[in-house]
């Protein structure tokens, strides 16, 4: 059976490089890195299944992307999206693609993720880039139906780093809740992807696409690697303890 697969994370988990590895090993499959980018509008439907139809009906590129995926797998072409922006649509994907759906949960140390997201301008007003992603893709501490809504009371004093930590916390909690869905192939740690004699990135791709020979010696792909232009202000730890 031809499948459509998604590797879901919080961002900054080597997804661009994983897509490059998968694409080289599976030239007969359609492999995309964040196929629709932020245009999944995940923030608008996060934990709000009643909004799926409204958002889908308002955004033609989103409609076309899902129809494109359906057409590919119907015609026998496997599909793999390696990224994170479509995370909130997983309950919808589960119903729409049913037994054809495969997905994995990729997780990385929260402090490294938050620091990297901050360098990309997410929740960081000192960096101009990232505003649209922040507005329509990221999870905000005061969004409706977030799991950890208690932090909203102290969020005014959050640093950009802390806001990105909150995004990590919420998204990983959401993904843990999805593990019982059909098509889930497991949790994979960023820190173990390329380690050891049998790197787990090969296990991940074998389960989501099919077994293949993977070239792990090519130069790593990360076209948006950046350094932080200024130090991250120390977290407001006292507010987190309230």
């Amino acid at each position: 059976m031809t499948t459509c697969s998604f590797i879901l994370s919080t961002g900054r988990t080597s997804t661009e490089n994983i897509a490059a590895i998968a694409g080289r090993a599976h030239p007969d499959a359609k492999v995309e890195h964040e196929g629709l980018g932020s245009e999944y509008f995940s923030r608008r439907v996060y934990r709000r299944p009643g909004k799926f139809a409204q958002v889908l009906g308002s955004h033609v590129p989103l409609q076309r992307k899902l129809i494109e995926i359906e057409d590919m797998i119907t015609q026998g072409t496997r599909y793999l999206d390696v990224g994170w922006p479509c995370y909130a649509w997983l309950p919808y994907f589960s119903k729409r693609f049913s037994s054809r759906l495969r997905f994995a949960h990729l997780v990385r140390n929260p402090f490294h993720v938050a620091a990297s997201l901050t360098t990309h301008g997410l929740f960081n007003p000192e960096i101009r880039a990232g505003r649209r992603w922040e507005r329509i893709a990221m999870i905000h501490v005061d969004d409706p139906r977030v799991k950890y809504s208690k932090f909203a009371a102290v969020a005014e004093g959050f640093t950009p780093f802390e806001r990105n930590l909150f995004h990590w916390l919420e998204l990983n909690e959401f993904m843990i809740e999805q593990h019982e869905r059909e098509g889930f192939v497991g949790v994979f740690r960023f820190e173990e992807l390329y380690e050891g004699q049998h790197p787990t990135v090969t296990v991940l791709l074998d389960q989501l696409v099919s077994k293949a020979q993977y070239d792990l010696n090519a130069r790593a792909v990360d076209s948006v690697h950046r350094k932080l232009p200024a130090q991250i202000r120390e977290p407001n730890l006292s507010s987190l303890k309230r």
Side-chain angles (χ1 to χ4, degrees):
M1 179 172 57
T2 307
T3 59
C4 60
S5 302
F6 299 84
I7 297 177
L8 300 172
S9 71
T10 52
R12 308 312 300 153
T13 51
S14 191
T15 51
E16 190 175 12
N17 192 53
I18 295 171
I21 293 170
R24 292 193 298 265
H26 298 283
D28 58 335
K30 176 68 171 180
V31 179
E32 294 187 308
H33 174 244
E34 300 176 354
L36 201 57
S38 62
E39 302 303 306
Y40 271 104
F41 295 93
S42 276
R43 185 185 174 202
R44 299 184 186 178
V45 298
Y46 178 60
R47 295 190 182 276
R48 304 168 78 186
K51 293 287 185 180
F52 286 143
Q54 178 185 340
V55 173
L56 188 59
S58 302
H59 300 286
V60 174
L62 177 52
Q63 297 173 31
R64 288 175 175 168
K65 172 55 68 177
L66 298 185
I67 292 171
E68 176 190 357
I69 294 172
E70 279 183 324
D71 286 346
M72 278 190 288
I73 61 177
T74 298
Q75 295 169 16
T77 299
R78 292 162 296 173
Y79 177 78
L80 173 64
D81 183 318
V82 188
W84 66 272
C86 63
Y87 62 92
W89 288 89
L90 191 59
Y92 178 83
F93 291 166
S94 182
K95 291 182 179 180
R96 182 158 181 168
F97 300 121
S98 189
S99 60
R100 291 177 177 264
L101 175 69
R102 299 286 183 275
F103 68 98
H105 178 185
L106 178 59
V107 64
R108 182 185 182 186
N109 182 302
F111 301 105
H112 294 165
V113 170
S116 188
L117 290 172
T118 303
T119 71
H120 286 72
L122 283 311
F123 298 113
N124 188 350
E126 296 181 6
I127 300 176
R128 294 180 62 184
R131 294 286 74 77
R132 181 166 176 78
W133 282 78
E134 176 185 315
R135 189 171 68 254
I136 68 176
M138 302 290 287
I139 303 174
H140 294 226
V141 68
D142 55 353
D143 280 348
R145 302 190 186 177
V146 292
K147 184 81 170 182
Y148 296 98
S149 58
K150 63 181 180 180
F151 289 122
V154 295
E156 185 176 350
F158 274 16
T159 65
F161 180 71
E162 289 167 322
R163 291 181 183 276
N164 282 307
L165 277 178
F166 183 84
H167 167 79
W168 183 98
L169 173 65
E170 275 287 327
L171 207 160
N172 278 291
E173 177 68 28
F174 177 73
M175 284 304 303
I176 289 171
E177 295 169 12
Q178 310 307 310
H179 290 181
E180 297 301 318
R181 292 188 183 277
E182 182 180 4
F184 176 62
V185 302
V187 179
F188 295 82
R189 296 183 68 246
F190 164 88
E191 291 81 3
E192 298 173 352
L193 285 177
Y194 308 108
E195 298 298 320
Q197 188 174 358
H198 302 289
T200 57
V201 67
T202 64
V203 178
L204 169 63
L205 294 175
D206 281 349
Q207 293 191 54
L208 289 179
V209 191
S210 65
K211 289 186 178 297
Q213 292 294 320
Y214 299 100
D215 177 12
L216 304 184
N217 296 317
R219 184 173 182 177
V221 179
D222 185 356
S223 62
V224 290
H225 180 75
R226 298 189 181 112
K227 293 183 178 180
L228 194 65
Q231 286 188 338
I232 299 173
R233 183 159 58 89
E234 290 187 5
N236 182 11
L237 297 179
S238 61
S239 68
L240 296 175
K241 296 176 181 178
R242 294 178 189 174

